[in-house]
Amino acid sequence: MGAQQVAERFAELYGAEPEGVWAAPGRVNLIGEHTDYNDGFVMPFALPHRAIAAVSRRTDGVLRLHSADVEGGVKELRLDDLAPQGDDEWTAYPAGVVWALREAGHGVTGADVHLSSTVPTGAGLSSSAALEVVIALALNDLYQLGLPGWKLARLCQRAENVYVGAPTGIMDQTASACCEQGHALFLDTRDLSQRQIPFDLAAEGLRLLVVDTRVKHAHSGGEYGKRRAGCEKGAALLGVDALRDVPYAELDTALARLGDEEEVVRLVRHVVTEDHRVERVVDLLRAGETRAIGPVLTEGHASLRDDFRISCPELDLVVDTALAGGALGARMTGGGFGGSAIVLAEAAEVDTLTKAVEEAFAAAGFTAPRVFEAVPSPGAGRLV
């Protein structure tokens, strides 16, 4: 649905025109996986797929929510009753943002909201962050809070961590709020400093495909939390604030200090080498060597598969099939345990590679994947 359709449906639901319509995108992470909660580097870019929200203010302490993507009528919540992890429905994401804004001292007194999203859910493309950011941006504008994008991202992360109960890092929300069209966002998750890196694949005859395996993942599941706890344990054993502080050049020495902590060794090795991979990709893109990032992406997949152990047969099949078919590089993207993979390819090879992946899935008896081109797109903004 576009902005006009969302606004019209809002009027049907609530009997009045919305005060505005906003949009926030999903994202693909080019490189830098599971580094964000380790104070490291990430490099996402925004997708054209986005969550759209028509919103108006209320003054009576009531939040009314409706989604075109979920069966059921309008959900009505009282702001004074909002409490962390008390809601296991989709409404927890927008309600959590309202809760986080109020907890931070911002005078939000209620809202009517109608939402529609084209960001695939469970695909590792940050559908939840898009939902959070579009609500935060709308309320920031309507209530004239004056918060910059990075602060909105922080509040949205708090909503997801505390209210929803998913231990995610800051990357997804920052990407949705701050990415720019035609660029990838080089983000230092420690201080939230940002650099927009030009990433115009079409101009170089390249494409980046997203392959949604249709295998659902959930950040609030226990395995994600275990990986995060293991990283924190590694940092504590090495006497650093976060794994970001372990120099790549000293990795072997650091791993030796961990002794027989085999699982922690694997997690530390992934995070430190992945931070280094992000820096390598940035240097290659700035030097105009876009094709050369392909092998770095593939290295990242091997690390996620073998050290972090968060891949799955479907993701591995995408990567192996794409590389065998001549792709420049491929890796899983997102939190893992399902979701999507990305494939960097020459434009002329897209149809051949897509067919090869689809045939490989059929031969393996897997659900047919969804394949689409990832185009670096604008971050969140007001549409109407």
Side-chain angles (χ1 to χ4, degrees):
M1 298 179 77
Q4 182 176 348
Q5 294 96 322
V6 173
E8 289 172 354
R9 182 61 175 139
F10 179 99
E12 293 173 4
L13 289 165
Y14 300 118
E17 297 293 323
E19 291 186 80
V21 181
W22 291 260
R27 66 96 187 97
V28 159
N29 192 25
L30 181 63
I31 192 73
E33 221 65 79
H34 289 269
T35 50
D36 58 347
Y37 54 79
N38 289 291
D39 282 2
F41 306 124
V42 295
M43 200 172 185
F45 64 88
L47 288 168
H49 306 73
R50 56 189 184 170
I52 300 176
V55 185
S56 288
R57 289 167 291 181
R58 297 178 65 92
T59 60
D60 58 358
V62 170
L63 175 64
R64 295 196 293 181
L65 301 168
H66 185 269
S67 172
D69 310 309
V70 181
E71 290 187 7
V74 173
K75 301 282 188 178
E76 184 170 311
L77 305 170
R78 293 205 59 81
L79 301 191
D80 289 344
D81 295 336
L82 299 181
Q85 302 182 49
D87 182 355
D88 59 2
E89 298 186 41
W90 69 270
T91 50
Y93 295 98
V97 171
V98 174
W99 171 84
L101 285 167
R102 285 165 55 85
E103 282 285 299
H106 302 294
V108 176
T109 56
D112 287 337
V113 178
H114 172 59
L115 290 152
S116 178
S117 179
T118 58
V119 186
T121 58
L125 302 175
S126 297
S127 58
S128 59
L131 191 58
E132 293 157 0
V133 170
V134 75
I135 297 298
L137 181 62
L139 297 177
N140 186 51
D141 286 356
L142 289 175
Y143 283 96
Q144 299 182 328
L145 304 180
L147 299 173
W150 68 269
K151 282 192 175 181
L152 292 178
R154 277 287 194 211
L155 287 165
C156 290
Q157 182 198 15
R158 176 167 168 75
E160 189 150 352
N161 289 173
V162 179
Y163 195 92
V164 178
T168 56
I170 190 62
M171 173 182 66
D172 296 350
Q173 294 85 0
T174 305
S176 186
C178 300
C179 278
E180 294 182 4
Q181 186 168 355
H183 292 76
L185 178 68
F186 177 38
L187 174 67
D188 182 333
T189 65
R190 169 164 283 169
D191 61 13
L192 297 189
S193 59
Q194 305 175 16
R195 272 195 285 165
Q196 301 287 344
I197 308 297
F199 193 52
D200 187 355
L201 294 170
E204 300 189 51
L206 297 172
R207 298 291 187 271
L208 190 76
L209 299 178
V210 174
V211 182
D212 176 3
T213 65
R214 311 276 189 170
V215 178
K216 301 297 184 183
H217 76 133
H219 267 162
S220 53
E223 291 300 318
Y224 184 97
K226 287 179 184 177
R227 302 304 190 280
R228 182 164 184 165
C231 290
E232 292 169 353
K233 180 178 179 180
L237 289 172
L238 293 171
V240 294
D241 291 336
L243 294 182
R244 145 72 172 279
D245 298 312
V246 179
Y248 176 75
E250 299 174 17
L251 176 58
D252 289 344
T253 301
L255 296 181
R257 289 174 56 199
L258 294 172
D260 59 359
E261 293 278 357
E262 180 184 350
E263 182 177 1
V264 176
V265 165
R266 288 190 287 100
L267 298 178
V268 171
R269 182 166 53 222
H270 166 73
V271 172
V272 176
T273 59
E274 186 79 346
D275 272 335
H276 186 56
R277 280 186 284 273
V278 177
E279 293 180 300
R280 287 164 63 196
V281 168
V282 170
D283 290 343
L284 287 168
L285 290 178
R286 295 184 70 187
E289 301 288 340
T290 304
R291 284 172 174 79
I293 75 172
V296 187
L297 303 184
T298 305
E299 287 175 27
H301 182 77
S303 183
L304 290 162
R305 180 192 64 211
D306 301 336
D307 275 344
F308 231 67
R309 299 187 182 182
I310 58 171
S311 190
C312 67
E314 291 85 351
L315 289 168
D316 292 341
L317 184 60
V318 174
V319 172
D320 293 343
T321 303
L323 293 175
L328 298 171
R331 75 172 189 90
M332 60 155 285
T333 187
F337 312 107
S340 299
I342 55 174
V343 177
L344 180 67
E346 302 287 351
E349 300 296 325
V350 165
D351 290 344
T352 301
L353 288 170
T354 299
K355 183 179 179 182
V357 170
E358 291 172 343
E359 290 179 346
F361 268 56
F366 295 153
T367 300
R370 178 186 183 209
V371 184
F372 60 91
E373 183 182 347
V375 179
S377 300
R382 187 168 186 160
L383 300 179
V384 177

